[in-house]
Amino acid sequence: WQEVASNWGLTIARAQLGETAAAVSAADAMIALVESAPSRFPERWRHHLNGTIAVGSEDFTRAVTELEAALEMMPEYAAFDNEVTNIRYRLAEAHMGAGDGEKAAEHLQSIVDSGTRRVFRPALYVRSYYLLGQIALERGDLEEARQYYQRFLDHWADGDLDRDRVAQAKRVVG
């Protein structure tokens, strides 16, 4: 499982850097390790990784298709299921890239309302507030954007991460 986890992380990192060929290679290596598992999770992981790779290469139509397939394969409920958070966040990015902010907002809102399901993905939880603020701004709802940005700042304002986003949120909040 350590090798699986390593290849998973490598795939995600390469995809986010836009290194599609390297991401596909890492994903293939990981899936090969788990294909004999007695469940559908290797297939779900394949869709998840393909969707993440597609987001990284800005193929948002394919990303939505792959990530929705992965989400449909998730068990109905798992108390600490960070994969749901990962999939929903990538789906939000894909929908935003495709110009569908409202659909993205549904996935982001699901993350911020998810309770324990997001416990192992605190960065995605906080960044969801930022993206919800962006969507509200694009919609022209400045007050809603301020509320989301303030929630983002409540967590992130004094930290080291996402400094450009913190600066943008501070400008909007005032």
Side-chain angles (χ1 to χ4, degrees):
W1 285 110
Q2 290 173 342
E3 191 173 350
V4 169
S6 296
N7 280 304
W8 180 274
L10 184 60
T11 299
I12 301 300
R14 296 289 192 184
Q16 290 176 330
L17 291 170
E19 298 174 3
T20 304
V24 168
S25 177
D28 288 344
M30 190 216 55
I31 294 298
L33 292 170
V34 295
E35 289 226 300
S36 63
S39 73
R40 293 181 67 201
F41 79 90
E43 183 182 353
R44 181 181 77 229
W45 284 1
R46 171 67 78 188
H47 286 298
H48 184 170
L49 293 173
N50 284 342
T52 300
I53 292 166
V55 169
S57 62
E58 298 184 0
D59 184 353
F60 300 118
T61 301
R62 179 168 184 231
V64 167
T65 300
E66 293 283 357
L67 292 165
E68 284 179 349
L71 190 60
E72 288 175 13
M73 293 179 178
M74 287 301 301
E76 189 169 328
Y77 185 79
F80 298 106
D81 198 335
N82 62 59
E83 189 177 359
V84 171
T85 301
N86 288 339
I87 293 169
R88 286 194 178 279
Y89 191 84
R90 298 295 168 235
L91 262 169
E93 290 179 319
H95 283 297
M96 288 179 78
D100 190 350
E102 296 309 309
K103 191 68 174 168
E106 290 176 24
H107 291 291
L108 295 166
Q109 195 63 51
S110 177
I111 292 169
V112 301
D113 293 340
S114 66
T116 61
R117 290 189 96 160
R118 55 138 171 97
V119 73
F120 295 114
R121 292 293 179 251
L124 298 184
Y125 167 71
V126 174
R127 289 175 177 151
S128 293
Y129 284 114
Y130 178 84
L131 294 180
L132 284 164
Q134 270 190 315
I135 293 165
L137 268 184
E138 290 171 8
R139 213 177 28 235
D141 190 337
L142 183 58
E143 186 54 37
E144 183 179 17
R146 283 183 176 142
Q147 291 172 9
Y148 283 127
Y149 281 146
Q150 186 57 59
R151 289 294 305 268
F152 172 75
L153 291 171
D154 289 345
H155 295 283
W156 240 235
D158 298 322
D160 296 328
L161 298 176
D162 295 330
R163 299 318 300 162
D164 54 335
R165 290 179 174 188
V166 168
Q168 167 66 19
K170 285 181 176 180
R171 283 192 294 276
V172 173
V173 170

